Amino acid sequence: MIRPRSKIIIFAILFVFIFPIYAISQSALTIAYPEFYPFFAKAKDEKIEGFFYEILMEAMENRMGIHTEWFQMPWKRCQNQVRSGKLDAMITVPTAQRLAYCDTHPAPFFVKELKIFTYKGHKRMNAIQRIGSLSDIKRGGYTVITYSGNGWHKNNITTLGIPFFETSEVHNVWKMLAARRGDLVIEWPVGVKAVLKKDGMANKIVETRVSLESMPFHLLINKQSGYKHILVEFNGIIKKMLDDGSIKKIIRKYY
């Protein structure tokens, strides 16, 4: 017969071993994100909005039954938090550098077209409209404005030796361009229109005819995360959401 004191000791030992497993099984998938409307943003009531957020919530919470927690911070810090394993995941383009510490899924859930923007009244507007490649940007001696942690910029602009100016916050690139602190910004047209309208700068920025390439967006999960196994199922869910029009319906709410 086990004495009451012995029962307490046995229970305590079992609790120590079982509780961490229980805690892990109940933990949420943690996602880092920047303030970048209309992908992600915080509304006046502090609730998160944006179509990347809604797509992930539909896939994860509603269709896969996975609870998520979201943490807003500058984009460079987002990547550092996921790289260090302090947070599980982020939504971005799967570059070689990011894939060194993250796993992802084959099919992108969104493809972002990149176009060139400049400020209204630029004295070389005609020449800018004739840009056909990144090499033309370098030959023309133009400067590009970007934000910290922009992997596409690092791989495509920095490597060519094109001069640039950098800000820690994504939305500040448009304030810098409007203030003529650089010649060009390379970004997604629809997202730009939403931001410029929101910040009252629509009449200061010009979208050129120049289209460079497209960026595929994926969910990236740290290789050491206990959630990396969900990527196969997530890929299947994303394909279904693309096929049934769910993703298109969510995106249409924002533009």
Side-chain angles (χ1 to χ4, degrees), residues 117-119 122 128 142-145 163-165 173 175-185:
F117 292 80
T118 190
Y119 55 81
H122 197 296
I128 290 172
Y142 300 105
T143 55
V144 178
I145 301 172
F164 65 92
F165 299 102
V173 299
K175 294 178 182 178
M176 291 175 67
L177 186 61
R180 304 188 177 193
R181 293 178 61 185
D183 297 302
L184 312 173
V185 168

Side-chain angles (χ1 to χ4, degrees), residues 54-96:
E54 288 199 27
I55 290 170
L56 264 290
M57 289 296 284
E58 174 63 23
M60 293 287 185
E61 303 255 359
N62 297 342
R63 303 197 184 197
M64 298 174 66
I66 296 173
H67 180 54
T68 60
E69 290 185 6
W70 297 70
F71 298 86
Q72 189 271 322
M73 59 194 72
W75 179 230
K76 190 172 183 178
R77 188 180 170 206
C78 288
Q79 296 174 84
N80 288 337
Q81 291 291 94
V82 175
R83 182 188 296 108
S84 67
K86 292 178 181 177
L87 295 177
D88 293 301
M90 58 185 173
I91 300 169
T92 186
V93 178
T95 62

Side-chain angles (χ1 to χ4, degrees), residues 134 144 152-162 164 186:
L134 294 175
V144 178
W152 183 91
H153 176 95
K154 183 177 181 180
N155 293 334
N156 295 275
I157 300 298
T158 307
T159 54
L160 283 179
I162 297 171
F164 65 92
I186 303 170

